[in-house]
Amino acid sequence: MRTLQRRQLVGHDILLARHGNHISAMRVDRTAGRVIALLDDGSIDSAPNMISPGLRMPETLRSILREDWKFLAVATACTAGFAGALTAAAVALAALADDPALTQMLTYAGN
């Protein structure tokens, strides 16, 4: 069974090995696939964030949401719409029914 794991940022390790305690700040440039470090002397260094370009990293919850947010939004909207349609149909059937017991059962509001 696959589990969602936090991705390891290889660039952080590379930069720490190069500069140790002389790093002031680090940030991840996801579009370039690099980690960028600001050093104490004001210079900037960067390192690739992947061990190998062909290596498939484990999926994280954030990466799944980033890739599939449109599908998840459509699925949620369809589910909510379907539930609303079923509720409206049940209330409409209760209104059309001649049996008062059925009408009372389907429109029961917890009184």
Side-chain angles (χ1 to χ4, degrees), residues 87-104 106-107:
T87 302
V91 171
L93 283 175
L96 293 176
D98 291 334
D99 187 11
L102 178 63
T103 304
Q104 184 180 10
L106 291 176
T107 58

Side-chain angles (χ1 to χ4, degrees), residues 16-74:
L16 284 171
R18 285 184 194 164
H19 303 288
N21 290 335
H22 301 290
I23 298 173
S24 297
M26 279 198 257
R27 70 177 179 86
V28 178
D29 184 2
R30 294 193 190 282
T31 57
R34 300 185 72 77
V35 175
I36 300 168
L38 175 64
L39 303 177
D40 290 339
D41 62 359
S43 62
I44 295 175
D45 191 13
S46 67
N49 205 20
M50 302 241 351
I51 298 171
S52 170
L55 181 65
R56 181 151 169 82
M57 298 295 283
E59 305 251 342
T60 63
L61 182 61
R62 183 174 291 160
S63 69
I64 290 171
L65 290 177
R66 185 172 48 241
E67 294 169 3
D68 297 333
W69 71 270
K70 288 180 184 177
F71 170 75
L72 294 172
V74 168

